[in-house]
Amino acid sequence: MLKLRSSAASPFGRKVKVAALFTGHADSLEMLPTDTMNPADPLRQDNPLGKIPCLILPDGSTVYDSRVIVEYLDHEAGGGKVIPAAWPARLAALKLQALADGITDAAILQLYEGRFRAPEKHEPAWIAHQGGKVERGLGTLEANPPVASATPDIGVISVACMLEWYEFRFSGLSSGNYPKLAAFAAEFNRLVPAFAKTKPHA
């Protein structure tokens, strides 16, 4: 069995779980709930960065972060399952994944500013800086949204996971500011029914 240290709310952990549906690993992936803030959590022994997701292989060795884990799963499945084997499709999928992951990273930094710093210590310039990344990234995707598919590549999967996490944390889709992305998310859910089972929750 493969073991995945993650949390129910992690968009990056979700990306791995969704990718596993298409690489044939979903039934052999054991989920290990993880608390990144707990110094005693075994995560820090498996990943010195203390970040999730972290994949534990049958021999006890580990793989991190989400992008490397997906590469591992795709390779083990024979390649070309969620990461296209040939260019330019491979480049397009990886670039889309990088954009979705970057939006998520910036939004997480905004979230942490509010979660871990007292209100009087919030830095508006920092929050605005990260917010600019999110807005530009979402704007780029809204102008040219990905195409939902029943057999999505990792770029499309990453965007779907990012959008639903952004809705979960910031009500980003229900704001009405990104109608094309909201339509994409709805279509992705229709075409990939198992996606709903991985929905983020606290």
Side-chain angles (χ1 to χ4, degrees), residues 104-114 126-127 130 133 165:
T104 305
D105 282 335
I108 286 174
L109 289 175
Q110 288 180 296
L111 185 70
Y112 285 177
E113 181 76 7
W126 173 253
I127 296 173
Q130 301 305 325
K133 297 177 185 180
W165 177 84

Side-chain angles (χ1 to χ4, degrees), residues 1-194:
M1 288 286 290
L2 298 170
K3 299 178 181 181
L4 185 69
R5 293 199 186 282
S6 190
S7 72
S10 170
F12 299 115
R14 188 184 194 189
K15 179 174 68 172
V16 170
K17 288 183 278 187
V18 176
L21 295 172
F22 298 98
T23 62
H25 292 91
D27 292 336
S28 60
L29 196 61
E30 179 184 354
M31 303 301 164
L32 302 178
T34 303
D35 181 0
T36 60
M37 299 304 295
N38 181 1
D41 194 288
L43 171 66
R44 299 184 185 191
Q45 300 170 24
D46 294 323
N47 179 355
L49 301 176
K51 298 176 70 173
I52 54 175
C54 178
L55 185 69
I56 305 172
L57 306 186
D59 65 1
S61 61
T62 59
V63 180
Y64 45 84
D65 62 3
S66 65
R67 284 167 287 199
V68 183
I69 294 172
V70 170
E71 286 269 7
Y72 172 84
L73 296 178
D74 192 74
H75 172 77
E76 288 295 300
K81 303 301 181 182
V82 293
I83 302 176
W87 294 66
R90 183 182 183 90
L91 177 61
L94 294 178
K95 180 180 176 182
L96 190 58
Q97 176 182 213
L99 178 58
D101 286 358
I103 292 170
T104 305
D105 282 335
I108 286 174
L109 289 175
Q110 288 180 296
L111 185 70
Y112 285 177
E113 181 76 7
R115 180 179 294 176
F116 297 116
R117 289 169 64 91
E120 65 274 12
K121 293 183 179 180
H122 288 180
E123 179 48 63
W126 173 253
I127 296 173
H129 180 63
Q130 301 305 325
K133 297 177 185 180
V134 173
E135 291 172 10
R136 291 191 301 273
L138 290 173
T140 296
L141 291 172
E142 177 69 13
N144 187 26
V147 178
S149 168
T151 55
D153 63 34
I154 193 56
V156 175
I157 291 170
S158 298
V159 172
C161 292
M162 176 273 293
L163 289 174
E164 290 212 345
W165 177 84
Y166 192 62
E167 173 65 17
F168 172 61
R169 293 299 191 191
F170 294 91
S171 300
L173 293 180
S174 56
S175 68
N177 293 330
Y178 305 103
K180 292 180 182 178
L181 291 177
F184 159 78
E187 181 68 357
F188 188 92
N189 273 281
R190 185 184 73 81
L191 293 173
V192 186

